[in-house]
Amino acid sequence: MAREGRKERREKREERRGEKREERAEQREERRGERRAESREKRREESRVKREERRGEQRAESREKRREESRESREKRREECRESREKREEERGEKREERRGESRAESREQ
């Protein structure tokens, strides 16, 4: 009888150890799952931040490109206006010379 009692106690002890072992294994697995989820979330957040940074950089580049194009357009317009003004002034000068020539010819005739 005593032997059977010891055997039962030992079996119960082994059973409790097994249950505790299983419980610790479950806890380890649960913590591992939590760490994986946290890691996954961290990677997602980093990816989102990088995406936003790239968008910001692209917007800045786009803004700078538009500024540059606008500046070039203004310069081109100024150059065209300057050339047009010079051409008009040149034509006025030629007409003035023509009129002077005509008036000289008229005064010679008189």
Side-chain angles (χ1 to χ4, degrees):
M1 283 299 238
R3 202 182 288 165
E4 287 180 15
R6 281 192 302 249
K7 187 177 176 183
E8 281 182 28
R9 284 195 302 272
R10 187 173 52 216
E11 286 174 354
K12 284 184 180 179
R13 197 169 44 236
E14 291 295 322
E15 190 177 322
R16 280 196 306 272
R17 284 182 186 163
E19 288 172 357
K20 286 185 178 182
R21 196 175 298 126
E22 286 176 14
E23 196 174 309
R24 286 194 302 270
E26 285 176 7
Q27 288 174 348
R28 270 196 310 273
E29 195 59 39
E30 193 174 311
R31 284 194 302 271
R32 185 181 299 148
E34 288 171 358
R35 283 194 306 270
R36 284 180 179 164
E38 288 171 1
S39 177
R40 195 169 38 247
E41 185 58 34
K42 186 178 177 185
R43 282 194 309 273
R44 254 190 220 128
E45 180 63 17
E46 289 171 351
S47 176
R48 184 188 65 76
V49 167
K50 283 182 182 178
R51 206 170 32 248
E52 287 179 2
E53 286 174 354
R54 278 195 305 270
R55 268 194 212 126
E57 289 169 1
Q58 287 172 344
R59 285 189 193 121
E61 288 171 2
S62 179
R63 232 185 348 261
E64 186 58 35
K65 186 178 178 184
R66 282 195 307 274
R67 281 188 191 132
E68 182 63 22
E69 288 171 350
S70 177
R71 185 186 62 75
E72 288 173 357
S73 175
R74 282 194 308 273
E75 287 178 3
K76 185 178 178 185
R77 223 174 14 255
R78 281 187 197 125
E79 182 63 22
E80 289 171 350
C81 288
R82 186 186 61 76
E83 289 173 358
S84 175
R85 186 176 59 247
E86 287 175 356
K87 186 177 179 185
R88 280 195 312 271
E89 288 173 357
E90 190 177 311
E91 288 173 355
R92 283 187 201 138
E94 288 174 0
K95 285 184 181 177
R96 207 173 290 131
E97 285 299 317
E98 280 180 28
R99 275 181 264 157
R100 281 187 191 154
E102 289 173 3
S103 67
R104 283 185 194 145
E106 286 175 7
S107 64
R108 269 191 237 126
E109 288 174 7
Q110 293 173 355

